Amino acid sequence: MASTAAVAGLLRPRFASAPTCIRCPLSRRTYVTSSRPLFTSSSYRPSANSTLTSQHLRRSFPRSYADSPLSRPRGIRRLFRWTWRLAYLSAIGGLGALAYSTYTLRNPAEQFEPDADKKTLVILGTGWGAVSLLKKLDTENYNVIVISPRNFFLFTPLLPSCTTGTIEHRSIMEPVRNILRHKKATVKYYEAEATKIDPAKKVVHISDDSEIKGEASKTEVPYDMLVVAVGAENATFGIPGVREHSCFLKEVGDAQAIRKRVMDCVETATFKDQPPEEVERLLHMVVVGGGPTGVEFAGELQDFFEQDLKKWVPDITDKFHVTLVEALPNVLPSFSKQLIDYTESTFAEEKITVRTKTMVKKVTDKTIEAEITNPDGTKTGQIMPYGLLVWATGNAVRPMVKDLMSQIPEQKDSKRGLAVDEYLRVKGADGIWSVGDCAIANYAPTAQVASQEGAFLARLFNSMGKSDALQHDLEALEQQRRDASSSSQTDGSELEARRSATERQLRRVKQIQPFHYTHQGSLAYIGSEKAVADVSWLNGNFATGGGLTYLFWRSAYLSMCFSTRNRVLVILDWVKAKIFGRDVSRE
C-alpha cells in the first residue's frame, strides 16, 4: 500500500502548485513557470487533434531573463536610415532637375517677331553688363540688336584656371546665340566690331573683322536706344615694350597663349646643352599686378608646377620660380589687412616671391627693368630676367569710346571712360546708356559692378516698355471717350474708371529708383587649395581664408556660371584634373 501511495504521489500533477523558480547555473538565467495548469485531468493525454500553438505556449510558459541586458536605443539607426532616404531622394530630384534644365536648354521655344513700329535697342558687347541686361530684358518690347566681335560670353573669374589646364576654356564660354534664342521675341546678332558711333544721326558704324568676309563687310545700324558695353582694353601706362613682349589675361586667346608659352619655356629649358643661366631665365615666370587676377594666376601657376610639372619634368624641380610684382605697398588692396597678410604668408610658404613697391620701367624680350622703393624712401633699380611675363593690371579706354567722348562736349573732362548719371545715361547724349568698364559710375571696374548695372538697365528698359504700352492704352481710352461724347452718349463712367486705373498704373511703373551698387564681397584663390574671402555681412565684412574658404570659392563661382551646361562642364574639368592631372602638352 505504501508503494502504491508513493507511485500515486509521483504521478500526481504538480502544475496547480505555487510557481517554482528553476535556476540554471550555466546560463545564470531564471525561468519562472506559471501556476496555470497545462494539462487537466481530462486532457492529460493529448488527443491526436489537439494542437499547441505558439500563442498558447507563450501564455503557458512566460519567461523572463533577469540578467539579460537592455536593448540599445534605435535613434541613431533611425537617423542614418532617414538621412540615407533624404540623400537618395535629393539625388533623384537633382538628376530630374538637371535633365529638365538640359532639355529646355537644348529645345528652346518658338520665338515671334517683334512689332516693327517699336523702338530699336542696340547693345554693343557681350560681356558681363550686356549679358546681364539681355538675360532679364523683355525683348518683346523692343527690336533688339546685339553687335559684338565675340559671339560668346566669357566667365572671366575662372580664366586664370584655363592658363594651366585646370579648366578647359570652352567650359566657361556660353554662346551668345544660345542666350538670344531663349528670349521670347527674336533678337538679331551681328558678329562685327563697332568702329564709330554718330550720336547726331543715331547710327552705329560696324565692320566685319573676321577672316572670312562677304561682299558686305561694313555697314551702318540705326538705333533709337543704344547701350555701350564694350569694356576696356589692357593698359600699358606708356611703358616701353609691354605690349610687344607681355602676355595679357583678358580673353580666351590670352589664356591659350600663356598656356603655350609656359610649356614652351619648360621644353626649351630642357634642351640639350642649355646654359644654366639661360635655364634659370626661361623658368622664371613674372606676374605684374597684385589684384585678384594676378594673385589667382600666380597661385594656379605654382600649383601646376607642384602638382604636375615636377612629376613629368623632374629636371626643373629646383629651377622653376614665380614672382609677383606690385607697385602698391601690398597685394589685394581691396581686401582687409588680415587677408592681405594671410595671402603674403601663404605665398611665402609656396615659394612665390612677392615684390611690392616695385615699378616696371621698361620691358625687353628677355628682361624687366624695375625701380624698387626701399623702406627708407630711396629707390634702386633692378633687372629681372624672365621667360614668361603676364601683365594683369590696368584698364584703358577703347578707341571707339574715345571717339564718342570727343563728340560730346559734356565728356571733355572724362579721361577713364564715359561719364554717366545715376540712371547710367551718358551725360550729354540722347538715348545712350553705358555699363561696365567703359563707364565711369564711381565704382570699381569689376564684373560684379557690371552685372548689377546690366540688371538695373533691364529693369529700367522693361519699365520704359510698359510705360509706352500704358501710354498707348491711355491715348486709346481718351479717343474712345471723345468718340462717346460726340455720339451723345452720356454714360462715360466706365471709360473714366479705366482711364484712372491706367494713369495710376503708369505712375507706379515710372517710379524707378536710381542705380545703387550693393557690394556682395570679394574672392580670390591663392594656391595650395586655399582661398580668401571678404564677404559683406549685415553692416560689416566677414573675412576668412583657408581650405574651407577654397570650397566656398568654388561653390560661389560654380553658382555664378551662366548656365547648367557651364556648371556641369566645370565640375567635370575639376574632377578630371584631380584624377588624371593637368595636361602638359604644348598645344
Side-chain angles (χ1 to χ4, degrees):
M1 295 296 291
S3 61
T4 304
V7 172
L10 291 173
L11 294 176
R12 185 181 297 118
R14 298 178 181 271
F15 300 101
S17 61
T20 59
C21 179
I22 304 174
R23 185 177 297 276
C24 179
L26 294 178
S27 62
R28 301 191 62 167
R29 294 174 179 172
T30 302
Y31 298 86
V32 181
T33 60
S34 173
S35 61
R36 183 183 303 172
L38 179 61
F39 304 111
T40 61
S41 59
S42 61
S43 61
Y44 181 72
R45 291 186 180 185
S47 63
N49 296 330
S50 64
T51 304
L52 294 178
T53 63
S54 60
Q55 186 177 4
H56 185 199
L57 290 175
R58 281 196 300 270
R59 288 199 308 266
S60 302
F61 295 97
R63 299 185 302 179
S64 64
Y65 297 86
D67 57 346
S68 62
L70 296 175
S71 60
R72 300 185 65 181
R74 299 182 179 180
I76 298 178
R77 295 177 60 185
R78 187 179 297 109
L79 176 62
F80 282 128
R81 186 184 304 116
W82 282 104
T83 302
W84 164 251
R85 291 175 180 175
L86 181 61
Y88 185 76
L89 293 176
S90 300
I92 294 177
L95 289 176
L98 177 63
Y100 176 76
S101 178
T102 304
Y103 177 81
T104 55
L105 183 67
R106 293 281 298 164
N107 299 274
E110 292 295 328
Q111 293 178 311
F112 65 89
E113 291 291 335
D115 188 358
D117 295 332
K118 292 187 176 181
K119 294 181 179 180
T120 300
L121 171 61
V122 176
I123 302 173
L124 303 181
T126 53
W128 281 92
V131 169
S132 180
L133 165 61
L134 288 168
K135 189 176 181 179
K136 298 184 178 182
L137 178 67
D138 295 336
T139 55
E140 58 269 23
N141 295 328
Y142 303 96
N143 291 286
V144 183
I145 300 175
V146 180
I147 301 172
S148 176
R150 190 179 72 180
N151 70 341
F152 58 87
F153 166 72
L154 179 64
F155 188 76
T156 50
L158 289 177
L159 190 60
S161 299
C162 297
T163 60
T164 58
T166 306
I167 294 176
E168 294 298 328
H169 63 275
R170 290 197 174 274
S171 299
I172 60 173
M173 295 165 55
E174 182 69 20
V176 69
R177 291 195 178 275
N178 288 8
I179 302 172
L180 303 181
R181 184 61 181 82
H182 284 82
K183 305 303 294 184
K184 292 182 179 180
T186 303
V187 179
K188 295 181 180 180
Y189 169 73
Y190 302 137
E191 187 184 69
E193 180 84 26
T195 57
K196 184 179 178 61
I197 298 174
D198 191 339
K201 297 181 179 180
K202 287 195 171 184
V203 295
V204 179
H205 299 263
I206 63 174
S207 174
D208 181 9
D209 293 337
S210 61
E211 295 181 359
I212 300 177
K213 295 182 177 61
E215 293 184 0
S217 59
K218 293 183 179 181
T219 187
E220 297 179 357
V221 178
Y223 69 85
D224 297 307
M225 303 164 63
L226 175 66
V227 177
V228 182
V230 296
E233 62 182 15
N234 298 285
T236 62
F237 305 104
I239 301 174
V242 172
R243 193 169 298 278
E244 293 80 8
H245 306 294
S246 299
C247 293
F248 300 103
L249 191 52
K250 229 176 188 11
E251 302 289 344
V252 169
D254 300 334
Q256 293 174 320
I258 292 173
R259 187 172 178 177
K260 183 177 180 180
R261 182 68 181 261
V262 169
M263 292 312 305
D264 196 358
C265 289
V266 170
E267 298 298 345
T268 305
T270 57
F271 191 77
K272 186 177 182 298
D273 299 331
Q274 196 72 264
E277 61 275 6
E278 186 67 8
V279 173
E280 184 177 354
R281 180 190 71 83
L282 289 168
L283 297 179
H284 185 205
M285 312 296 170
V286 179
V287 184
V288 178
T293 301
V295 167
E296 289 188 347
F297 172 70
E300 289 279 358
L301 189 58
Q302 188 67 23
D303 285 351
F304 183 38
F305 168 70
E306 293 289 343
Q307 299 173 8
D308 297 283
L309 283 178
K310 275 175 40 173
K311 297 178 182 178
W312 311 123
V313 194
D315 297 341
I316 67 172
T317 300
D318 300 327
K319 303 177 181 65
F320 192 90
H321 187 60
V322 178
T323 299
L324 180 65
V325 177
E326 170 58 42
L328 297 177
N330 48 57
V331 299
L332 299 178
S334 61
F335 285 67
S336 62
K337 183 64 169 60
Q338 57 180 339
L339 292 183
I340 292 173
D341 296 338
Y342 178 76
T343 300
E344 292 179 352
S345 63
T346 302
F347 275 6
E349 295 174 1
E350 297 173 356
K351 300 179 181 179
I352 298 177
T353 302
V354 178
R355 294 185 178 274
T356 56
K357 298 182 180 180
T358 303
M359 295 280 294
V360 177
K361 294 298 183 180
K362 185 179 179 180
V363 177
T364 65
D365 58 340
K366 294 184 179 180
T367 60
I368 299 172
E369 296 181 12
E371 184 180 75
I372 302 175
T373 302
N374 300 315
D376 58 358
T378 60
K379 296 182 180 180
T380 58
Q382 185 180 12
I383 296 179
M384 291 184 289
Y386 72 91
L388 169 69
L389 173 61
V390 175
W391 195 267
T393 179
N395 289 328
V397 182
R398 294 188 181 275
M400 185 268 294
V401 177
K402 285 184 179 179
D403 180 72
L404 177 61
M405 293 165 58
S406 65
Q407 300 180 57
I408 304 173
E410 288 81 353
Q411 300 287 329
K412 63 179 181 179
D413 296 330
S414 182
K415 304 297 182 185
R416 297 182 294 112
L418 291 167
V420 296
D421 62 9
E422 65 272 16
Y423 290 94
L424 304 180
R425 291 174 297 201
V426 176
K427 295 180 179 180
D430 180 29
I432 301 179
W433 290 260
S434 183
V435 296
D437 294 349
C438 61
I440 305 301
N442 298 324
Y443 299 109
T446 62
Q448 190 176 160
V449 173
S451 180
Q452 292 189 27
E453 289 176 342
F456 170 80
L457 274 191
R459 294 193 302 269
L460 179 64
F461 291 164
N462 293 340
S463 176
M464 293 171 62
K466 292 178 182 178
S467 299
D468 292 342
L470 291 173
Q471 189 67 38
H472 183 270
D473 294 342
L474 196 61
E475 293 175 358
L477 289 173
E478 183 65 24
Q479 183 63 37
Q480 292 179 16
R481 189 183 66 82
R482 289 195 296 266
D483 294 343
S485 299
S486 61
S487 60
S488 68
Q489 294 182 4
T490 58
D491 187 11
S493 58
E494 182 181 354
L495 290 176
E496 186 64 27
R498 290 171 57 189
R499 181 174 176 274
S500 299
T502 304
E503 288 179 344
R504 289 194 300 269
Q505 187 177 2
L506 181 61
R507 286 194 296 268
R508 286 196 300 268
V509 168
K510 288 184 176 181
Q511 291 177 356
I512 185 168
Q513 299 297 321
F515 172 72
H516 176 70
Y517 169 66
T518 303
H519 185 63
Q520 299 176 350
S522 302
L523 300 171
Y525 178 64
I526 59 176
S528 299
E529 296 187 350
K530 297 179 182 178
V532 291
D534 204 351
V535 184
S536 299
W537 181 261
L538 299 178
N539 294 328
N541 288 347
F542 178 72
T544 179
L548 292 178
T549 309
Y550 167 70
L551 298 179
F552 173 72
W553 172 83
R554 279 199 163 185
S555 61
Y557 278 2
L558 195 64
S559 64
M560 290 167 60
C561 287
F562 185 83
S563 65
T564 303
R565 166 185 168 274
N566 293 136
R567 297 184 187 98
V568 172
L569 292 177
V570 168
I571 291 175
L572 293 177
D573 287 342
W574 281 338
V575 173
K576 180 179 64 175
K578 192 68 175 179
I579 297 176
F580 301 105
R582 302 171 182 84
D583 187 10
V584 296
S585 58
R586 181 177 173 183
E587 298 297 334

